[in-house]
Amino acid sequence: VDKRIELLEKKKTLLETYKMGVMKKIFNQEIRFKNENGDDFPDWEEKRLDEISKIYQPKTISQNQFTENGYVVYGANGPIGFYSEYNHETPQVVVTCRGNSCGTVNITTPKSWITGNGMVVNVDDNPKVSKDFIYFYLVNDNLTYLITGSGQPQITGDLKNHKINIPTEIEQVKISKFLSSIDQQLELLGTQIDKSKTWKKGLLQKMFV
């Protein structure tokens, strides 16, 4: 059982390393996808984030307003609790803009409440931009230059002027599907590791009782 867990964890680590390497090559345009005819897609276009999305900080709610269940609340470090209402019906790309995790990029679940500790990069009104593509691009990107302050690090409205390179919508979708397939494999490996550890724990309890 230990050997199986070790092999699964090694495989997961190798896949994570591969993903980070291939992401850098994709977004540096060292790796390009082809269209259905095998031809190259057009060159990527440089755009400011506020040219392709709406960027804003939602309303913050305090922890004493949280409920035992309901809609997931996203704070600086991802999910932090539940609330009786949601302020975003669709998943959103969120950049943490306060605290030690400043600059971290997440994507939320549908019908969630996003607090003011994150800046939303909302592309719902732009049919030419893939939400998943923006998420993967920003995860790979370096946003640390936008962080100000030492005691309380934060990112301000400067995120609006951050520049990214955008391919055609079809190439965006191809890239997103490719990277999402790797994430699915990583999730499966994580599940297998957890199940193996639980199985081992159960075996040990039965052996030594």
Side-chain angles (χ1 to χ4, degrees):
V1 177
D2 280 342
K3 186 65 175 178
R4 172 178 168 77
I5 293 170
E6 182 184 345
L7 289 172
L8 286 170
E9 288 178 335
K10 183 178 180 181
K11 187 174 181 180
K12 186 170 183 281
T13 299
L14 289 171
L15 189 56
E16 287 170 340
T17 302
Y18 167 75
K19 178 190 171 185
M20 294 306 297
V22 80
M23 279 179 69
K24 288 186 182 299
K25 289 186 177 181
I26 287 173
F27 294 117
N28 287 339
Q29 301 176 56
E30 296 175 46
I31 295 176
R32 291 293 304 274
F33 287 74
K34 305 285 186 181
N35 63 23
E36 58 184 11
N37 297 320
D39 298 323
D40 292 332
F41 284 104
D43 291 339
W44 295 20
E45 293 184 29
E46 186 178 77
K47 298 282 186 181
R48 292 194 320 272
L49 271 183
D50 66 352
E51 290 184 274
I52 60 170
S53 65
K54 294 179 181 177
I55 300 176
Y56 54 88
Q57 284 178 266
K59 177 184 175 182
T60 295
I61 55 175
S62 60
Q63 287 194 355
N64 60 20
Q65 294 177 272
F66 288 4
T67 53
E68 290 187 6
N69 49 50
Y71 302 103
V72 178
V73 177
Y74 283 85
N77 298 308
I80 56 173
F82 298 95
Y83 188 50
S84 58
E85 301 176 22
Y86 60 87
N87 59 2
H88 290 84
E89 185 166 356
T90 58
Q92 296 296 331
V93 176
V94 181
V95 179
T96 301
C97 61
R98 290 176 186 160
N100 293 330
S101 57
C102 210
T104 302
V105 182
N106 290 297
I107 190 163
T108 67
T109 56
K111 293 185 177 180
S112 60
W113 186 284
I114 304 170
T115 71
N117 290 321
M119 297 191 77
V120 180
V121 183
N122 190 327
V123 296
D124 284 345
D125 295 333
N126 191 341
K128 294 184 178 181
V129 176
S130 161
K131 193 173 296 183
D132 288 336
F133 175 84
I134 294 297
Y135 165 69
F136 285 121
Y137 191 106
L138 292 178
V139 165
N140 179 73
D141 216 353
N142 182 7
L143 301 177
T144 56
Y145 78 97
L146 294 170
I147 299 174
T148 59
S150 54
Q152 177 67 16
Q154 61 180 344
I155 292 177
T156 62
D158 291 334
L159 182 64
K160 295 180 178 181
N161 295 317
H162 183 67
K163 293 180 180 179
I164 67 173
N165 292 305
I166 294 285
T168 63
E169 186 182 0
I170 297 175
E171 190 174 4
Q172 289 178 49
V173 172
K174 281 182 174 287
I175 291 169
S176 299
K177 285 183 176 179
F178 174 72
L179 294 175
S180 293
S181 69
I182 299 177
D183 279 347
Q184 289 169 5
Q185 293 176 56
L186 288 169
E187 186 177 348
L188 177 60
L189 285 168
T191 300
Q192 291 174 336
I193 292 168
D194 290 341
K195 286 183 176 179
S196 295
K197 288 180 177 179
T198 301
W199 185 40
K200 176 189 172 183
K201 184 178 179 181
L203 285 175
L204 289 170
Q205 288 174 341
K206 290 179 181 179
M207 286 177 180
F208 296 106
V209 169

